[in-house]
Amino acid sequence: MKRIEMGGYYSGSINQGRLYFPKILDPKTIDILMTLSLIENQKYGVLELENTLAKDEVEPQKLTLYFEDGNYLLMLLDYDDEGYIDVRTLYNPDAPKGVFQNILGEPYGATSIVQDIELVKKCFIEFNQTGSVSRDLLN
């Protein structure tokens, strides 16, 4: 069972401060696409889709996008077969391995950061429709 809630924040500049996306319960694909299109022109922020009815330790619960200056870090909070947390991310084969890049002031492996908003859109739409994202997209 799924019940998706979308929300987050963004900023168009360092001095602007946080502006919040309106929370949307059970967003439609057009809501997601419009919000992700807005993100492309913003300095930084976070956007989340959360399945509020996900079964703990069984089903993916949250898809979180951290973005800054055209760089996107997408994380899916999932669980493995034994119920342990399994955070899945996109993979950037062109990024140098062993190198870290800051997103929102935190270091992450550069191979987890992409610049392809279309790939991000695919993941958001799939999570919204199914409550998960295929392992073909998120490792």
Side-chain angles (χ1 to χ4, degrees):
M1 225 169 142
K2 69 179 182 63
R3 183 176 184 190
I4 304 295
E5 184 175 293
M6 182 171 70
Y9 70 88
Y10 66 96
S11 180
S13 69
I14 297 294
N15 300 328
Q16 183 179 34
R18 287 185 181 179
L19 301 171
Y20 290 88
F21 295 111
K23 285 204 180 227
I24 300 175
L25 187 59
D26 295 322
K28 295 182 179 5
T29 298
I30 190 70
D31 298 322
I32 292 169
L33 292 175
M34 287 176 56
T35 302
L36 288 171
S37 292
L38 173 67
I39 282 172
E40 290 182 89
N41 300 316
Q42 303 307 316
K43 179 77 175 157
Y44 67 88
V46 175
L47 182 65
E48 293 182 333
L49 289 182
E50 182 175 2
N51 182 359
T52 59
L53 297 179
K55 296 177 187 169
D56 287 343
E57 301 175 8
V58 176
E59 296 176 318
Q61 292 186 331
K62 189 183 295 186
L63 183 65
T64 305
L65 173 65
Y66 300 94
F67 61 93
E68 184 173 5
D69 295 328
N71 294 301
Y72 306 103
L73 172 65
L74 191 62
M75 294 187 193
L76 177 68
L77 175 59
D78 198 358
Y79 296 94
D80 65 16
D81 293 337
E82 297 173 2
Y84 292 104
I85 292 176
D86 180 22
V87 177
R88 296 193 282 138
T89 64
L90 291 169
Y91 180 70
N92 182 351
D94 299 326
K97 293 175 177 54
V99 172
F100 290 89
Q101 183 174 344
N102 284 339
I103 296 282
L104 302 180
E106 296 292 327
Y108 295 95
T111 57
S112 296
I113 297 170
V114 301
Q115 292 72 40
D116 186 352
I117 190 69
E118 295 305 315
L119 188 55
V120 172
K121 288 176 183 178
K122 284 181 188 178
C123 293
F124 264 74
I125 290 167
E126 187 173 327
F127 184 83
N128 190 52
Q129 291 174 346
T130 68
S132 188
V133 179
S134 69
R135 291 199 179 269
D136 292 340
L137 292 173
L138 293 180
N139 302 331

